[in-house]
Amino acid sequence: MERLLHHLRNLGFTEMEAKVMVELSRQNAASGYEVAKRLGASRSNVYAALQRLAGQGYLRTSAGEPVRYSMLPPGELTRMIEGQMQESLRAVEKEMPRTEPTKPTFYNAEGDRKVLESLTRELERAEHEIVLDLWREEAELLRTELEKAESRGVRLLWSCDNGESMMGPWLPLRSDTDGQEPAGRKFSFVIDRRWCMLGMRGENCPTQALITEHPVMTGLLLNHFAQDLILYELEHDMGRELSTRYGWRYEGIIGKYMSAGE
């Protein structure tokens, strides 16, 4: 009994409607007075439930006074309910307002505190991979968070200004032709290939960063990192053999695309 009432309620019937339907199913037909008496319920509540059920087509009514009510056979009742539910589901799918898909946004963070807080949150959420392109100064600020990520099994891919840090393998960046550090130190992070940050920090410039999950920006940063990595590996592996094998051609290519533009 309780299980049946539970399923009727799940189909959208009220507690009273469910009890009335079960009671009428036990007999061929009954008046509202008889149903109320058997349920021990208020006649006004029972009559209201009977009228709603009859109006929806779930009950049959007899002519004359008093009006007698009877339930549809179970098979016919369930087919009616199923048809109504399917119709409602199709209407919801067709007519429910559709919003535009959320578009990746770009936003700025300014100041050491905001930039580092945003970055720390994402580093703590990293699950698979962190790609870093930064200077030693910024790497040292994030040492703890990066070590924690690595201990969780997150893969770290590094590019940094030198190899003096103890945190892992460093790939040297090219310095300016005059050997001087620029006004700001550029840095970039790509976390799990979905979230990225690109910014600049230094003693003589405000800390600023662009943050986004836009796939175009994450793709650009990953491509830039991969190209630097591949070029470094080639130079490290072949050394002077590059110049010996390719001669002025290799040096010309490097000068054309990698020089400071003098």
Side-chain angles (χ1 to χ4, degrees):
M1 173 69 169
E2 285 301 322
R3 187 166 181 267
L4 177 56
L5 291 173
H6 169 74
H7 286 298
L8 286 169
R9 289 194 298 269
N10 282 348
L11 290 171
F13 297 103
T14 67
E15 181 76 18
M16 181 57 68
E17 288 170 345
K19 289 181 177 179
V20 167
M21 293 170 74
V22 172
E23 183 60 37
L24 285 175
S25 295
R26 289 173 170 163
Q27 50 197 315
N28 290 330
S31 66
Y33 172 79
E34 291 170 333
V35 173
K37 185 176 180 181
R38 289 171 184 170
L39 291 177
S42 162
R43 280 188 290 176
S44 60
N45 290 340
V46 170
Y47 276 114
L50 288 167
Q51 290 174 359
R52 287 195 301 271
L53 292 169
Q56 293 170 335
Y58 300 127
L59 302 182
R60 293 171 177 160
T61 58
S62 66
E65 291 292 339
V67 176
R68 300 183 70 79
Y69 301 88
S70 60
M71 280 294 302
L72 296 176
E76 187 176 344
L77 173 67
T78 55
R79 283 193 296 273
M80 177 182 289
I81 294 172
E82 182 180 13
Q84 291 173 344
M85 291 186 68
Q86 289 295 334
E87 183 180 355
S88 295
L89 289 172
R90 286 192 294 269
V92 169
E93 183 178 1
K94 180 179 180 181
E95 299 174 16
M96 181 68 73
R98 289 171 170 79
T99 58
E100 290 294 325
T102 302
K103 298 178 180 179
T105 57
F106 294 82
Y107 61 97
N108 295 320
E110 296 188 2
D112 263 6
R113 185 178 63 83
K114 289 185 178 180
V115 169
L116 292 174
E117 283 179 353
S118 298
L119 189 50
T120 299
R121 281 196 302 269
E122 293 301 322
L123 291 174
E124 291 173 349
R125 293 173 54 192
E127 297 179 355
H128 308 294
E129 178 186 81
I130 301 172
V131 177
L132 312 90
D133 189 346
L134 75 175
W135 290 66
R136 181 181 59 182
E137 288 82 350
E138 284 64 53
E140 293 298 334
L141 288 175
L142 298 163
R143 174 190 288 268
T144 301
E145 288 75 16
L146 293 170
E147 288 178 339
K148 287 180 180 177
E150 195 167 31
S151 68
R152 298 196 306 269
V154 177
R155 183 172 72 152
L156 303 185
L157 297 176
W158 296 83
S159 178
C160 198
D161 62 325
N162 58 48
E164 295 178 5
S165 175
M166 299 173 58
M167 295 185 65
W170 302 94
L171 301 177
L173 293 173
R174 296 173 187 81
S175 60
D176 289 349
T177 55
D178 60 4
Q180 298 298 316
E181 180 181 316
R185 298 182 296 274
K186 292 179 289 185
F187 59 86
S188 68
F189 291 80
V190 181
I191 298 178
D192 289 338
R193 306 204 173 195
R194 59 160 184 84
W195 182 96
C196 66
M197 173 185 283
L198 175 64
M200 180 172 284
R201 180 178 181 273
E203 288 69 28
N204 300 318
C205 73
T207 301
Q208 293 181 315
L210 174 69
I211 304 171
T212 185
E213 292 187 14
H214 199 292
V216 170
M217 181 61 73
T218 56
L220 284 172
L221 291 176
L222 287 171
N223 287 340
H224 174 76
F225 181 86
Q227 290 165 7
D228 267 4
L229 176 64
I230 292 169
L231 184 58
Y232 170 76
E233 290 285 352
L234 286 172
E235 291 181 340
H236 182 74
D237 184 53
M238 299 184 71
R240 292 187 177 181
E241 187 180 349
L242 279 172
S243 297
T244 303
R245 181 173 298 184
Y246 295 103
W248 65 268
R249 176 62 178 158
Y250 176 73
E251 294 179 359
I253 292 173
I254 294 299
K256 180 178 180 181
Y257 294 106
M258 300 299 180
S259 69
E262 284 85 354

